[in-house]
Amino acid sequence: SQSTMRLHIARGALSTVMGLLFFWGLARVPLAQAIALAFIAPLIALFLAAVLLKETVGGRTVGASLVAFVGVLVIFVGQAQADLGREATVGSLAILASAVCYALNIILMRRQAQVAGPVEIAFFQSLIVTLVVAALIPLVGIEVPAAIHWPWLVFAASLAIASHMLLSWAYARAEANYLAATEYTSFLWAALFGWLVFQEALSPYTLAGAAMIVAGCILAASKPGEASPRLEAAT
């Protein structure tokens, strides 16, 4: 329908801006600091869900998100570097702007998931982002990656599509304010793969922050209300 297509277009365009801001900032800010800044998005999404989706945000969910966010701050304190210069400051602002876009993205994802299936959402998301980026090529130019990078690009794209479909499936079955807190667990996966792939040691700050993130997610894991799009459509 036209209303569903408008959602696809809006979220695809928003995702393009979000991605460009994040990767531009990531080139100027240490990885740990960038991830810590990006984690502001689930907190923003909690309150956007209350305003835009009329969802009830309980004290338990807000408290859980605050506990997890404090865990992110602990990691930030342990890993952020001092005196990074103007470039890092501007990069941090870009990542914060990206986080705001991502919070809106979570809300749109919830609306999409109530009217479209995971395959449809993933298809139009990929198509619209491709079209928007292609439209920008004449303005910014493009450098074709070397052949050695293409298998990894295809692998990364496959992971992105799979995760997108899983998120769409999840957001069709639970409210955005409930699922937003689980976003914090991605740092745990980042720490694990950083250790396995790059041999990055975990500092005491990282371990303490991770413990708080897990505690916050467990605190938020109360039983969510029914949120089936089919049930809502029927009522």
Side-chain angles (χ1 to χ4, degrees):
S1 64
Q2 290 185 0
S3 60
T4 302
M5 184 56 69
R6 283 196 295 269
L7 274 175
H8 291 324
I9 293 173
R11 183 159 177 254
L14 181 66
S15 295
T16 305
V17 175
M18 175 189 76
L20 292 174
L21 284 170
F22 182 79
F23 287 113
W24 190 88
L26 190 60
R28 292 159 176 80
V29 177
L31 181 59
Q33 181 176 339
I35 294 174
L37 290 171
F39 273 134
I40 195 72
L43 281 179
I44 299 172
L46 281 175
F47 301 101
L48 287 177
V51 173
L52 300 178
L53 300 181
K54 310 303 181 185
E55 293 183 359
T56 301
V57 179
R60 183 188 184 95
T61 303
V62 174
S65 293
L66 290 176
V67 170
F69 185 63
V70 170
V72 173
L73 291 181
V74 171
I75 296 170
F76 174 80
V77 170
Q79 296 190 347
Q81 300 177 23
D83 300 324
L84 296 178
R86 181 179 178 277
E87 281 284 296
T89 300
V90 176
S92 296
L93 292 175
I95 291 172
L96 286 173
S98 175
V100 174
C101 290
Y102 185 58
L104 287 168
N105 188 56
I106 291 174
I107 304 304
L108 289 177
M109 188 191 309
R110 168 65 172 160
R111 285 184 169 175
Q112 271 186 313
Q114 292 176 317
V115 295
V119 175
E120 177 183 339
I121 292 172
F123 172 78
F124 280 106
Q125 174 83 352
S126 301
L127 175 64
I128 292 165
V129 170
T130 300
L131 292 175
V132 174
V133 173
L136 294 175
I137 288 176
L139 300 177
V140 300
I142 186 173
E143 181 179 344
V144 179
I148 192 174
H149 298 305
W150 280 99
W152 290 108
L153 289 172
V154 172
F155 180 59
S158 301
L159 289 176
I161 292 172
S163 69
H164 197 90
M165 293 177 67
L166 288 168
L167 281 171
S168 300
W169 188 90
Y171 274 88
R173 289 159 175 81
E175 292 184 346
N177 70 73
Y178 173 79
L179 293 175
T182 65
E183 295 278 345
Y184 292 111
T185 60
S186 63
F187 196 96
L188 302 179
W189 292 108
L192 174 63
F193 289 123
W195 176 65
L196 291 176
V197 178
F198 302 108
Q199 291 77 50
E200 295 176 347
L202 291 177
S203 70
Y205 286 100
T206 301
L207 292 174
M212 297 187 73
I213 292 170
V214 172
C217 292
I218 293 174
L219 182 63
S222 56
K223 183 179 179 181
E226 291 294 332
S228 169
R230 294 173 180 80
L231 290 177
E232 291 175 4
T235 56

